[in-house]
Amino acid sequence: GENVEQHPSTLSVQEGDSAVIKCTYSDSASNYFPWYKQELGKRPQLIIDIRSNVGEKKDQRIAVTLNKTAKHFSLHITETQPEDSAVYFCAAPNTGFQKLVFGTGTRLLVSP
Amino acid sequence: EADIYQTPRYLVIGTGKKITLECSQTMGHDKMYWYQQDPGMELHLIHYSYGVNSTEKGDLSSESTVSRIRTEHFPLTLESARPSHTSQYLCASSLRTSGARGETQYFGPGTRLLVL
């Protein structure tokens, strides 16, 4: 939707713990929700996405859940590793689907 | 290999100079975007394009201009660089959306600009 809120802004976990990042969106017509990972000095890269016809999608240690009624979606990382340390961005299409509206980012730090 | 390219990767320039940041993609994507991002911070959309001869301003007011004469090429120009333009500029592309479908955006490696 036009507004995408992302929390928390920073997240520190111990290696092996789980991490959860949450986003809310405002446009109920939004139907595509990607997550991007940006490592230090690198470009943002898509790690997982979900479309509104499913409630959950998993890819190894990462999963995304979608609650259309509440208009929020979450990224779940299990068994975190130091290489998961990065900034993560959620996104959703704007009204009219011309572009993606990105969240403000979550800096995840995984300590060994 | 299909990818999205940006040049230069790093640029240090004096105030008042005209600069053009290049972006090219070989993925056959119709839509292209320019974002401004301070390292690790929010992504701010400054321009986007649906295809040849189409350009739109983004959410962040910018003194830059763009052109789209060829599908694969989407350069960004600053007529007179200022220290406030110091930032990272990321180019991205995606397939043209159709109706309610959203498509993945693929990002270039970025250009880090320092205006003295």
Side-chain angles (χ1 to χ4, degrees):
Chain A
E2 290 289 352
N3 188 40
V4 176
E5 294 188 4
Q6 182 171 348
H7 300 281
S9 57
T10 58
L11 180 59
S12 294
V13 300
Q14 292 293 120
E15 183 176 1
D17 289 348
S18 294
V20 181
I21 303 169
K22 298 181 180 180
C23 287
T24 60
Y25 59 98
S26 57
D27 188 347
S28 57
S30 294
N31 65 347
Y32 171 65
F33 307 94
W35 284 90
Y36 286 82
K37 175 184 181 182
Q38 187 177 27
E39 297 178 17
L40 187 64
K42 302 285 183 64
R43 72 184 84 181
Q45 291 194 300
L46 180 78
I47 54 172
I48 195 167
D49 58 16
I50 191 168
R51 299 187 188 267
S52 59
N53 56 344
V54 296
E56 183 176 3
K57 183 177 179 181
K58 293 185 71 173
D59 183 2
Q60 299 182 332
R61 294 187 299 107
I62 60 172
V64 56
T65 58
L66 172 64
N67 183 327
K68 289 187 65 180
T69 302
K71 290 190 284 188
H72 66 71
F73 57 109
S74 299
L75 178 70
H76 304 255
I77 306 174
T78 58
E79 300 173 35
T80 54
Q81 300 168 3
E83 52 263 39
D84 294 329
S85 295
V87 179
Y88 291 81
F89 293 95
C90 63
N94 73 316
T95 302
F97 302 93
Q98 296 115 340
K99 56 188 177 181
L100 288 176
V101 179
F102 284 88
T104 50
T106 296
R107 188 177 302 275
L108 174 65
L109 176 62
V110 181
S111 302
Chain B
E1 180 180 341
D3 204 346
I4 181 164
Y5 304 93
Q6 290 186 243
T7 58
R9 294 292 312 279
Y10 304 91
L11 180 60
V12 181
I13 203 160
T15 296
K17 298 292 186 182
K18 178 180 179 179
I19 60 171
T20 296
L21 308 185
E22 302 287 351
C23 176
S24 295
Q25 50 93 8
T26 57
M27 295 183 283
H29 287 168
D30 294 302
K31 297 185 73 173
M32 296 187 75
Y33 314 81
W34 276 104
Y35 293 88
Q36 183 175 340
Q37 183 193 36
D38 291 330
M41 303 298 285
E42 291 181 60
L43 291 158
H44 296 287
L45 181 66
I46 49 176
H47 296 283
Y48 61 103
S49 166
Y50 293 111
V52 171
N53 294 325
S54 152
T55 61
E56 303 284 343
K57 289 189 181 294
D59 306 314
L60 181 68
S61 175
S62 173
E63 293 158 345
S64 59
T65 59
V66 291
S67 62
R68 191 86 183 276
I69 299 172
R70 302 198 320 263
T71 299
E72 63 273 19
H73 194 214
F74 190 41
L76 179 143
T77 297
L78 276 167
E79 291 292 333
S80 179
R82 294 210 300 267
S84 60
H85 295 138
T86 294
S87 189
Q88 176 172 241
Y89 293 84
L90 289 164
C91 182
S93 70
S94 68
L95 288 167
R96 189 182 185 93
T97 57
S98 175
R101 296 175 64 224
E103 297 294 345
T104 303
Q105 288 189 19
Y106 296 88
F107 285 84
T111 294
R112 293 200 178 191
L113 174 64
L114 172 61
V115 183
L116 302 175

